[in-house]
Amino acid sequence: MALSMNPVYYLGYTIFKGAAKAFFDMKVLNREKLIDGSSCIYVCNHQSFLDPPLISSIFENPVHFLARKTLFDNWFMKWALPLCNSLPIDQKRPDPGCILKVLRHVREGGSIVIFPEGSRCPDGQIHDAMPGIGLILSKLAGVPVQPLRIEGAYDALPIHSSKLRFAPITITVGDPIDFTPEELKPKGREGHLALGRRVMDAIRALPTQP
């Protein structure tokens, strides 16, 4: 049974589900692998502001997102983002309160999408992860971590442009990452960064063509 969506999330979900196909000819590769409706952490590269709504449109159930804390400075976004299932996080110094919310949400059966790079890429390429993803994964050992790769969103709406282009977009779904017990027991910042590298390597390995 599908989980319920709040009205604001449902409105955006409906709009982008239609727009994904109509304007971006969006394709989802390996959709049958997608974990939907149960506890999961999704990790994805970050190309554009379009990424969260387009990614949410491939699910039948609502998902949550980690969003850059500064996005909540605007009064409207501070009101709207929580209704779009977004949680604020400081990428450089993860707030313990936010981390606890993420842990509680996932442990209670929820799912969350994380962009490990911390912000949109400046060039369409996949960059290194910030250490926050390693910290979160180390505290949620046993929860599936599924890589997603989005391609084409940078061409549609790059970071330095406000002009929307109708470019084809592909989202690829990967198998859950098979971490070893040792990997999920990182020692300090270097251990967290190593987990981040493992995550980004799994995303890079996903194909962008059928």
Side-chain angles (χ1 to χ4, degrees):
M1 179 182 294
L3 302 175
S4 61
M5 301 180 183
N6 72 63
V8 173
Y9 184 100
Y10 181 74
L11 177 62
Y13 172 85
T14 303
I15 291 171
F16 272 88
K17 199 172 182 70
K21 189 64 179 175
F23 299 128
F24 304 115
D25 190 28
M26 195 174 84
K27 295 178 174 60
V28 182
L29 305 183
N30 305 329
R31 184 191 289 273
E32 70 281 358
K33 295 182 178 182
L34 187 66
I35 299 170
D36 193 356
S38 62
S39 180
C40 188
I41 300 168
Y42 308 97
V43 287
C44 186
N45 60 311
H46 199 4
Q47 292 195 333
S48 169
F49 274 139
L50 294 171
D51 298 345
L54 289 177
I55 289 169
S56 69
S57 74
I58 74 174
F59 293 90
E60 295 301 323
N61 293 279
V63 292
H64 280 66
F65 292 84
L66 284 189
R68 193 174 75 246
K69 190 175 181 179
T70 53
L71 292 175
F72 292 74
D73 292 344
N74 176 286
W75 71 267
F76 176 77
M77 299 298 277
K78 187 175 182 179
W79 169 81
L81 285 174
L83 293 175
C84 296
N85 290 356
S86 295
L87 300 172
I89 189 169
D90 186 329
Q91 313 99 300
K92 296 181 180 178
R93 297 178 181 176
D95 176 72
C98 177
I99 297 296
L100 286 174
K101 285 181 181 178
V102 172
L103 300 182
R104 188 180 306 116
H105 174 71
V106 175
R107 285 170 179 162
E108 290 176 353
S111 57
I112 191 158
V113 178
I114 300 176
F115 299 105
E117 294 158 291
S119 61
R120 293 166 293 159
C121 65
D123 53 9
Q125 303 302 309
I126 297 177
H127 293 263
D128 293 337
M130 297 190 120
I133 183 65
L135 174 62
I136 291 172
L137 296 185
S138 68
K139 295 184 178 298
L140 287 169
V143 176
V145 180
Q146 185 162 51
L148 307 173
R149 179 171 179 173
I150 190 164
E151 195 67 33
Y154 178 82
D155 296 322
L157 186 62
I159 189 171
H160 299 301
S161 175
S162 58
K163 184 178 180 181
L164 186 65
R165 303 178 181 91
F166 299 135
I169 293 175
T170 301
I171 297 176
T172 308
V173 181
D175 293 312
I177 303 172
D178 186 19
F179 293 107
T180 67
E182 282 304 309
E183 284 179 308
L184 293 173
K185 294 179 183 178
K187 297 177 181 177
R189 179 181 174 85
E190 284 307 311
H192 292 147
L193 287 171
L195 265 178
R197 286 193 292 271
R198 181 90 155 80
V199 164
M200 300 315 294
D201 285 346
I203 295 171
R204 287 188 188 96
L206 296 177
T208 58
Q209 299 293 330

